[in-house]
Amino acid sequence: MKKLAILFLLALLPFVAQAQIKFGYLSYSQALKLMPDYAIAQTNLEQLRAQYDAETKRASEEFVQKYETFLATQKNLAPVILDKRQSELQDLLYKNMQFKEEAQRLLAKAETDAYAPLKAKLNAALAKIGAEKGLSFILNTDNDALPYINSAEGEDLTVVVAEALSKGK
C-alpha cells in the first residue's frame, strides 16, 4: 500500500511542479504618482520646503551682515566687546546650523506623514486587486530590484492599479 501511495505521489510530481504561481508587478513609486492626492501632497511639501528655505536664507544673510559689520569694526573694539561679538557670532552660526538640521528632520517627517495615507490607500487597492485576480503576491519593480520578469508568467498591474485608483476603489 505504501509503495502504491509513493508511486502515486511520484506520478503527480511533474504536474505539481508545473503549477504556476500567479503574480503581479508594478512600480510602487509610479503608482503613487498616479494617485490624484499625490499632487496635493507634493504641493504642500514644496510650500513647506520653500518656507524653510526662505528662513534659512534669511538667517544666513543676517549672519553674513553681522559678520561683515564685525570685520569692519573689530579693530576699534575693546577686547571685552570683541570677545562678546565673537561669541554672539558663534552662537548665531550654531543656531543657524541647528535650525537647518531641524528643518531637514521636520521635512522628512512631513513627507512621511503626507505619503502615509496615500500608501495605505495604494496598499489596500493592491490587496483588493491581488485577491480579485488570484495573485500569490505583487512585486515592486522600483530600484532595479527585479532586472528581469517573464511577462508571460506575471502580470503588469500598472494600468489596473491606475484605473482602480482613479475610480476610488
Side-chain angles (χ1 to χ4, degrees):
M1 189 65 160
K2 279 186 177 182
K3 286 184 181 181
L4 186 59
I6 292 174
L7 285 174
F8 180 72
L9 288 175
L10 287 174
L12 286 178
L13 190 58
F15 297 108
V16 172
Q18 288 181 349
Q20 288 187 337
I21 295 175
K22 291 175 65 177
F23 67 93
Y25 58 92
L26 80 156
S27 167
Y28 196 88
S29 62
Q30 198 61 26
L32 273 175
K33 291 175 185 174
L34 293 172
M35 299 177 78
D37 293 342
Y38 181 82
I40 295 168
Q42 278 293 102
T43 301
N44 292 342
L45 288 171
E46 287 303 317
Q47 289 173 349
L48 184 60
R49 187 173 287 113
Q51 289 176 5
Y52 282 125
D53 288 347
E55 180 58 23
T56 301
K57 183 179 179 186
R58 186 206 62 76
S60 177
E61 289 171 354
E62 177 187 6
F63 175 79
V64 168
Q65 181 185 20
K66 287 185 177 189
Y67 184 67
E68 287 174 351
T69 302
F70 170 76
L71 289 177
T73 60
Q74 72 178 349
K75 294 177 188 172
N76 302 329
L77 297 176
V80 173
I81 296 172
L82 182 69
D83 289 344
K84 178 183 175 276
R85 297 247 178 110
Q86 284 177 334
S87 178
E88 287 173 355
L89 285 170
Q90 287 173 343
D91 288 345
L92 187 58
L93 181 62
Y94 178 72
K95 286 178 182 179
N96 288 348
M97 290 187 321
Q98 279 186 316
F99 175 77
K100 190 172 183 178
E101 289 173 5
E102 182 68 5
Q104 288 173 346
R105 186 189 68 76
L106 291 172
L107 278 171
K109 183 180 180 329
E111 186 173 346
T112 300
D113 293 347
Y115 293 139
L118 298 176
K119 288 181 177 183
K121 186 176 180 180
L122 178 56
N123 289 340
L126 290 173
K128 185 175 182 182
I129 291 167
E132 288 173 356
K133 293 189 166 284
L135 303 176
S136 298
F137 51 88
I138 298 174
L139 299 170
N140 181 0
T141 60
D142 289 345
N143 301 324
D144 298 326
L146 299 166
Y148 172 75
I149 296 175
N150 185 342
S151 59
E153 295 182 18
E155 182 178 353
D156 185 350
L157 299 176
T158 305
V159 173
V160 176
V161 170
E163 289 173 0
L165 292 172
S166 69
K167 294 177 184 175
K169 275 189 174 178

